[in-house]
């Protein structure tokens, strides 16, 4: 993968739309986790859930495909993956 295609990505979940299905956790348990409220949240390298609405975490390069697949398969269309540099969504409901 060249540096041009390995742009830094970040991911966040819109909990208002989360169905609690857990597909994202199956794809990328390193990035997603279901909380006690039954909704999915992103978590950082420190394994702590980011529960502030709109909170993002970086997508590890090794997990880009898994995170992208989780955004595509999410029944709630609530996973947003965007470029960190310009905040343009590349996977998820607002991607072109």
């Amino acid at each position: 993968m060249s540096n041009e295609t390995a742009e830094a990505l970040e991911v966040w979940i819109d909990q208002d739309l989360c169905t609690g299905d857990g597909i994202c956790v199956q794809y990328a348990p390193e990035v997603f986790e279901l909380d006690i409220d039954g909704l999915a949240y992103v978590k950082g390298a420190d394994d702590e859930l980011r529960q502030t609405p709109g909170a993002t975490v970086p997508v590890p390069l090794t997990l880009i495909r898994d995170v992208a697949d989780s955004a595509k398969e999410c029944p709630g269309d609530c996973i947003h993956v965007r470029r960190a540099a310009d905040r343009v969504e590349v996977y998820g409901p607002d991607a072109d």
Side-chain angles (χ1 to χ4, degrees):
M1 186 177 278
S2 74
N3 284 339
E4 288 178 344
T5 57
E7 292 185 88
L9 300 178
E10 57 188 13
V11 59
W12 64 282
I13 294 177
D14 183 344
Q15 278 78 30
D16 289 339
L17 299 176
C18 180
T19 61
D21 194 272
I23 288 176
C24 57
V25 178
Q26 294 172 24
Y27 275 108
E30 303 89 345
V31 177
F32 304 108
E33 186 173 317
L34 290 176
D35 199 14
I36 195 166
D37 62 6
L39 302 178
Y41 293 85
V42 292
K43 61 182 179 179
D46 59 4
D47 226 30
E48 291 293 318
L49 299 187
R50 304 300 194 258
Q51 294 178 305
T52 304
T56 65
V57 296
V59 178
L61 284 177
T62 55
L63 297 176
I64 288 176
R65 183 177 300 273
D66 293 334
V67 171
D69 286 345
S70 70
K72 292 174 189 170
E73 299 298 325
C74 174
D77 279 336
C78 65
I79 300 172
H80 301 265
V81 183
R82 64 190 182 196
R83 291 191 300 254
D86 60 8
R87 299 171 67 112
V88 170
E89 189 155 317
V90 291
Y91 303 106
D94 298 330
D96 288 336

